[in-house]
Amino acid sequence: VDLNPFRAAASDFNPPLTSEQADYAFCGMDENHDKKVCSFEFFGILKIGHFFPSRSHLEHLREVGALTERPGEGPHDLALPPSPTGDVAVAAAAAAAAAA
């Protein structure tokens, strides 16, 4: 998902995220700075529980089998679990990914 669909989904969340909050959440998930959040990055954030992960942390999750997607790969239309952290921004990301 890229930034504009993410912003649109985040604005529909209850409570809605501001544009600045949506941008922060998006940037915090876009680990490789390609202006898109792939399922590898998204599900990695859900497993790690915070934004701005390192690539080595995401790769470690994949290596131990906790994350099955590879960078740039993975299904984009999965039913998503609720945020493990209860974080509004993570939940908004789930809504954005579901809308993609």
Side-chain angles (χ1 to χ4, degrees):
V1 67
D2 63 23
L3 181 57
N4 287 330
F6 181 81
R7 281 181 180 159
S11 69
D12 290 336
F13 197 69
N14 188 13
L17 296 183
T18 66
S19 182
E20 293 81 16
Q21 290 170 326
D23 290 355
Y24 179 82
F26 185 87
C27 288
M29 289 185 288
D30 184 17
E31 182 274 330
N32 65 356
H33 310 290
D34 67 351
K35 299 185 183 349
K36 294 186 183 295
V37 174
C38 68
S39 61
F40 174 75
E41 294 166 322
F42 177 76
F43 287 113
I45 292 297
L46 290 180
K47 298 255 185 211
I48 294 167
H50 62 82
F51 295 128
F52 300 100
S54 68
R55 173 56 57 124
S56 62
H57 198 161
L58 292 173
E59 286 293 334
H60 175 71
L61 287 174
R62 189 182 59 76
E63 288 168 6
V64 299
L67 186 62
T68 58
E69 294 81 18
R70 294 183 179 273
E73 295 180 350
H76 296 274
D77 59 348
L78 294 174
L80 300 171
S83 165
T85 63
D87 189 331
V88 171
V90 172

